[in-house]
Amino acid sequence: MPFEHGTYFTAADERKARAFLAGQGLSPRQEAEIRAWHRSRLSAQLSLWSSAAAAAGIALGYFLAGVF
């Protein structure tokens, strides 16, 4: 459920997600809590993948430095 600006999601995706939540009969507070939970999960996933990519880049750099 895309709620973050500046990510890979388009404005149309965000509208669809908001329409989906609105159709579930949730209160505005519940919708806000769902968006906050999604935001925290997205941040955690992005942090994990960027850390893994940095570690892989460093390892590859050391490997290539040893080879060449």
Side-chain angles (χ1 to χ4, degrees):
M1 294 174 45
F3 288 106
E4 293 300 309
H5 293 287
T7 61
Y8 301 107
F9 304 116
T10 65
D13 291 332
E14 185 176 342
R15 283 192 302 274
K16 285 185 217 173
R18 288 187 187 276
F20 172 77
L21 286 179
Q24 298 301 307
L26 301 172
S27 70
R29 180 175 179 244
Q30 289 172 318
E31 288 181 25
E33 289 174 355
I34 290 171
R35 284 191 298 275
W37 179 85
H38 177 73
R39 187 178 304 117
S40 70
R41 296 298 303 154
L42 181 63
S43 296
Q45 289 173 358
L46 290 175
S47 296
L48 174 69
W49 283 109
S50 64
S51 297
I58 291 168
L60 181 62
Y62 277 120
F63 173 74
L64 292 176
V67 170
F68 297 109

